[in-house]
Amino acid sequence: MEKTIKTKTKKPFIFYSRLYLQVLTGLKAVNIEQLLKIIRDVPGSVIYYHTHRFLQQHIYLNPEPPNDFAYWVSDVLGEDELAEMLASIDTVQFADIRSLREEIIKTIEQYIKKKPSVLKRRADEDEAFHFIKAVSFIFTTGHKAHDLSEFMEILKIITVDAIYFHVFEARLRLKQANENDFSYWIRTSVKNPELARKISQLDPYTHTIEDLRKTIIRLVESRLKK
Amino acid sequence: MSKKEDMQDTDLSQYSKSATAKIHDYEQFVGKAMVDNLRLLADRLKGKVIQNINSTAVGGGVAEILIRMIPLLHELGVDARWDVIKGGEQFFEVTKKIHNLLHGRLDPIGKHDFDIFMQTSAVNIREIDTYGDIMFIHDPQPIALIKKRALKKSSKWIWRCHVDVSKPDPEVWSFLKKFIVKYDASVFSAPNFSQRLPIPQMLISPSIDPLSDKNIELPQKAIDMVLKKYNIHKDKPIITQISRFDYLKDPVGVIQAYRLVKKYIDCQLILAGGTATDDPESMKVLEEVKTSAAQDKDIHILLLPSGSNIEINALQRASDVVIQKSLKEGFGLTVTEALWKGKPVVASAVGGIPLQIKHKYSGMLCHTIEGAAFAIKQLLNSPEYAKQLGSNAREHVRLNFLLTRHIKDYLLLFLSLYHQNDIINL
């Protein structure tokens, strides 16, 4: 194992980053029926934006605020029980946006059945839910790690957007809920399955991105010290 | 005390940073890696000329942002330029009407006004050289320049709307829409400003500059100097609203909220801002505010001349709670400024304010005078909670509303014009 840590890997880890531009769809909802209908119809990039936006825009908060739908249902419609149900959808279990969208729809539909009075709730125009999509820009940061030591040093200096890309977007790109780019590289190139397992098991949705950075650095550091 | 020392004790200009900041100066706020990202994005725009066009070279929010942004774009290697349209008094009277009507205010407008607008536009279309690869047109005044796009078919045109158009006057919007639909993309500052349009609508929030006089860190001495200047003692908690004296900012409502708080907590209120000299209504509002304040010595009404940036900065920093009880708001940059200073803010859930404040996470949103008073009481009675909100607020602004994020969004916007997909590999 000692050998694999110090040896340069054949395939270096290339650090990418992802930035995004917010595009207004012009669609808005002022009640739960409208919200449900639009959630059914909009492109996946809109669902992705509203379930992941908080992670990048509120990285300082721990615990994170929930997804946009839960926040709006609670703070604007005042429907706390539904908000709690939407907030507790375990995003980490879904390896694609299609199944995440289905779970959100199912949760709202079941709630309406159980409590039809929610249909009477209506937001002011000023507090309507506006649907937004993200256009993602992916680019290489110019940083490359050939071994764990370099990997750790680079991890310390890259932006949260880069960490976001390799942890959150990777899950959807790789279509594996329990894998991210870091764990994949450590498993396949560094050949350290134990460290890879520890990193892949981190639930990114219950950490701030800065926490994730620190935790991964700590895990790599303790591996290097062994 | 010598005359020189005496001057130093009263001269606020010693805290002013008039020199233009360099891009690396922002690393202290957003980190080197973020500034490196800006360089990487700027690199992808090599060879493109970005031509900004607006209606004024000085004064007003657009000019203020371009003055600070253009040198930074140059430093990043982006060939950004800036031209200004011409217009006479009549033209700008019409554009002021258009502005008011877009904001939802009543202001009579007729065919004659639209004719004046088109006559001046025709002169600008004739005289302004539109040489940019990317034409970045700010606000309604130069909007008709889109008629020149046929001259350079490869050019891309963006219309940047800095105005709150959540409830625009239908006649004015329909007049402007004829031009807007011919652009490649539009940009709005808040989600509720978006309209049904056949062209892409980007959401790009405005920003504050942490190195400007309004936001730069101030030593306690400077804050004390400003308090002394306005005869304010820090013996009671300070609640402050900074905004011009305008009905839409509801200064009388702020006094009512303060009075509800004052029943339980001995505090003081600062209402500070300017009046527009060409706006008789603002003088009327100021008089009403003075009447409402009556003889209460704990209400400080400060009429600040334009350019009182260090003073505003110091008043915000001296406050225990900052309030923005607007009835209608554009983006609400005074809120951004207070959040950046780590202040607990109570603000109405209007315009761009909900983008900046997540209720109970980074500030408190309110809808009524009573709600505002309740939130202020909570914050004054729970300083630890207020501190946590303030700390979250500063971090939220650091990540989302500083000038560097604004530059990043503009660079992405320019790049997006050359791609069609939702995922773009640069």
Side-chain angles (χ1 to χ4, degrees):
Chain A
M1 191 61 72
E2 184 69 12
K3 193 178 162 214
T4 62
I5 290 166
K6 289 190 176 165
T7 313
K8 301 268 181 206
T9 57
K10 278 184 189 159
K11 205 173 164 194
F13 189 90
I14 299 172
F15 287 83
Y16 284 83
S17 189
R18 176 239 186 213
L19 297 173
Y20 68 95
L21 193 59
Q22 301 172 88
V23 183
L24 296 158
T25 62
L27 298 168
K28 63 179 177 180
V30 293
N31 60 40
I32 201 74
E33 268 183 310
Q34 287 176 358
L35 187 81
L36 184 59
K37 183 182 180 315
I38 300 173
I39 288 175
R40 282 198 188 106
D41 297 344
V42 286
S45 54
V46 176
I47 303 297
Y48 176 76
Y49 174 83
H50 290 294
T51 49
H52 288 72
R53 174 184 77 97
F54 265 126
L55 295 162
Q56 266 180 301
Q57 289 187 357
H58 297 79
I59 60 160
Y60 52 93
L61 290 177
N62 197 358
E64 306 272 345
N67 60 62
D68 283 348
F69 304 123
Y71 182 83
W72 185 76
V73 164
S74 163
D75 261 60
V76 177
L77 290 190
E79 207 59 51
D80 288 344
E81 191 183 337
L82 174 59
E84 191 178 294
M85 288 159 74
L86 287 170
S88 54
I89 289 176
D90 192 3
T91 317
V92 78
Q93 295 300 319
F94 301 93
D96 60 59
I97 290 297
R98 187 181 50 79
S99 47
L100 178 59
R101 184 206 306 255
E102 280 165 10
E103 185 64 22
I104 294 168
I105 291 171
K106 196 176 87 189
T107 305
I108 299 175
E109 282 175 340
Q110 284 177 350
Y111 188 80
I112 293 174
K113 241 184 228 170
K114 187 180 130 195
K115 198 178 167 192
S117 62
V118 66
L119 296 170
K120 290 182 189 153
R121 301 256 192 189
R122 194 186 158 85
D124 287 343
E125 281 292 323
D126 281 342
E127 293 189 280
F129 188 99
H130 291 267
F131 286 84
I132 295 169
K133 78 169 179 178
V135 172
S136 298
F137 296 78
I138 296 155
F139 56 96
T140 167
T141 61
H143 292 294
K144 259 185 211 178
H146 296 87
D147 56 35
L148 273 184
S149 179
E150 281 180 12
F151 176 80
M152 187 180 72
E153 291 309 315
I154 296 169
L155 201 55
K156 286 177 186 170
I157 57 167
I158 54 171
T159 61
V160 289
D161 303 302
I163 296 173
Y164 179 90
F165 175 78
H166 288 298
V167 175
F168 291 90
E169 288 229 341
R171 293 177 49 254
L172 302 170
R173 197 170 358 95
L174 299 170
K175 297 209 179 296
Q176 289 184 52
N178 292 319
E179 189 73 284
N180 60 55
D181 289 340
F182 298 149
S183 59
Y184 182 80
W185 178 72
I186 291 170
R187 186 187 332 280
T188 58
S189 293
V190 182
K191 311 273 186 212
N192 191 325
E194 191 194 336
L195 180 60
R197 185 181 52 78
K198 282 182 182 164
I199 290 174
S200 70
Q201 277 177 349
L202 294 170
D203 175 358
Y205 293 93
T206 54
H207 291 73
T208 65
I209 300 183
E210 279 302 345
D211 273 347
L212 268 182
R213 184 204 304 265
K214 282 179 200 151
T215 308
I216 298 171
I217 288 171
R218 206 171 47 242
L219 287 171
V220 175
E221 208 166 25
S222 72
R223 185 69 206 103
L224 285 170
K225 277 180 188 162
K226 274 187 187 171
Chain B
M1 190 182 285
S2 71
K3 202 171 172 185
K4 193 178 167 192
E5 281 172 330
D6 190 34
M7 283 255 307
Q8 276 181 348
D9 274 357
T10 54
D11 182 14
L12 286 168
S13 67
Q14 62 186 299
Y15 301 107
S16 172
K17 306 282 176 204
S18 52
T20 310
K22 299 285 179 201
I23 193 72
H24 68 80
D25 295 330
Y26 294 85
E27 288 177 4
Q28 61 185 301
F29 307 111
V30 296
K32 185 177 179 301
M34 180 49 82
V35 173
D36 287 344
N37 277 354
L38 296 181
R39 290 185 213 281
L40 288 169
L41 295 177
D43 221 38
R44 266 85 170 173
L45 284 163
K46 279 255 155 67
K48 303 276 185 221
V49 174
I50 289 112
Q51 184 181 3
N52 291 273
I53 299 183
N54 78 323
S55 64
T56 166
V58 283
V62 179
E64 220 173 272
I65 200 84
L66 288 176
I67 285 168
R68 300 194 78 90
M69 195 183 273
I70 300 258
L72 296 174
L73 285 169
H74 287 167
E75 224 193 310
L76 289 166
V78 177
D79 190 352
R81 306 188 200 177
W82 178 12
D83 292 287
V84 177
I85 57 161
K86 286 180 187 152
E89 204 175 312
Q90 274 192 319
F91 174 73
F92 286 115
E93 272 171 23
V94 172
T95 59
K96 173 134 196 243
K97 275 187 187 181
I98 289 176
H99 182 91
N100 286 343
L101 284 156
L102 286 175
H103 265 291
R105 288 175 70 171
L106 295 174
D107 207 343
I109 196 163
K111 183 179 176 303
H112 178 63
D113 297 302
F114 292 126
D115 286 346
I116 291 170
F117 184 90
M118 288 315 299
Q119 280 157 17
T120 304
S121 295
V123 175
N124 282 311
I125 288 167
R126 206 168 48 239
E127 292 185 358
I128 287 199
D129 181 12
T130 50
Y131 49 80
D133 297 295
I134 295 171
M135 299 298 304
F136 202 14
I137 309 298
H138 298 267
D139 276 343
Q141 300 92 335
I143 199 168
L145 287 174
I146 186 70
K147 289 191 169 186
K148 293 194 82 172
R149 78 169 299 162
L151 292 180
K152 188 178 174 185
K153 290 212 169 79
S154 63
S155 61
K156 306 280 186 187
W157 288 68
I158 309 165
W159 184 60
R160 193 345 167 183
C161 180
H162 297 268
V163 186
D164 173 355
V165 286
S166 51
K167 285 171 193 150
D169 173 83
E171 190 185 2
V172 168
W173 181 252
S174 139
F175 173 74
L176 295 176
K177 195 175 169 184
K178 284 184 287 189
F179 302 107
I180 297 168
V181 295
K182 293 180 180 150
Y183 282 77
D184 293 292
S186 55
V187 182
F188 295 92
S189 296
N192 50 339
F193 300 170
S194 74
Q195 299 288 332
R196 289 242 172 214
L197 288 172
I199 59 167
Q201 302 177 65
M202 311 304 185
L203 170 61
I204 299 183
S205 309
S207 61
I208 58 164
D209 186 344
L211 295 170
S212 67
D213 285 351
K214 226 185 251 184
N215 298 303
I216 199 153
E217 287 295 326
L218 286 179
Q220 189 57 44
K221 197 178 161 196
I223 298 168
D224 293 342
M225 272 166 70
V226 171
L227 292 179
K228 195 175 165 196
K229 180 175 170 182
Y230 296 113
N231 200 23
I232 299 166
H233 302 281
K234 201 141 185 357
D235 52 350
K236 299 171 187 177
I238 298 175
I239 304 160
T240 300
Q241 174 160 301
I242 305 278
S243 57
R244 66 178 189 276
F245 292 93
D246 183 323
Y247 286 119
L248 294 178
K249 309 295 177 188
D250 198 17
V252 174
V254 174
I255 292 177
Q256 289 169 336
Y258 151 81
R259 291 217 164 102
L260 291 174
V261 177
K262 183 93 169 170
K263 280 186 196 168
Y264 303 94
I265 303 166
D266 190 15
C267 55
Q268 50 188 329
L269 174 67
I270 299 174
L271 288 169
T275 59
T277 47
D278 60 344
D279 183 1
E281 195 180 86
S282 67
M283 294 312 290
K284 202 172 146 218
V285 175
L286 181 61
E287 283 314 308
E288 283 179 26
V289 169
K290 283 180 180 165
T291 307
S292 177
Q295 300 303 313
D296 188 335
K297 288 200 172 96
D298 283 332
I299 299 180
H300 308 274
I301 299 165
L302 312 179
L303 192 57
L304 303 176
S306 69
S308 304
N309 295 329
I310 296 282
E311 284 85 348
I312 290 170
N313 187 343
L315 291 171
Q316 287 169 327
R317 288 184 192 278
S319 305
D320 294 281
V321 173
V322 172
I323 181 165
Q324 188 65 50
K325 220 206 88 41
S326 304
L327 303 175
K328 199 166 167 64
E329 192 57 75
F331 184 75
L333 281 175
T334 51
V335 170
T336 328
E337 289 157 14
L339 297 172
W340 173 242
K341 292 168 184 104
K343 293 294 161 185
V345 177
V346 175
S348 305
V350 294
I353 292 174
L355 276 186
Q356 305 184 52
I357 294 179
K358 286 294 158 217
H359 186 50
K360 297 181 185 171
Y361 287 107
S362 51
M364 306 283 266
L365 292 175
C366 63
H367 302 83
T368 59
I369 289 166
E370 292 75 15
F374 181 67
I376 295 168
K377 272 191 291 181
Q378 266 191 310
L379 294 170
L380 291 179
N381 282 332
S382 320
E384 277 309 309
Y385 178 53
K387 198 175 159 192
Q388 185 57 51
L389 286 190
S391 157
N392 285 347
R394 182 175 165 91
E395 194 59 1
H396 188 50
V397 173
R398 187 181 76 78
L399 292 165
N400 299 295
F401 301 116
L402 294 187
L403 185 59
T404 37
R405 191 280 310 153
H406 204 164
I407 291 174
K408 178 198 77 183
D409 279 356
Y410 277 173
L411 296 176
L412 294 177
L413 166 69
F414 302 149
L415 289 166
S416 76
L417 298 169
Y418 299 95
H419 299 87
Q420 298 297 326
N421 301 332
D422 286 352
I423 297 176
I424 297 166
N425 289 297
L426 292 176

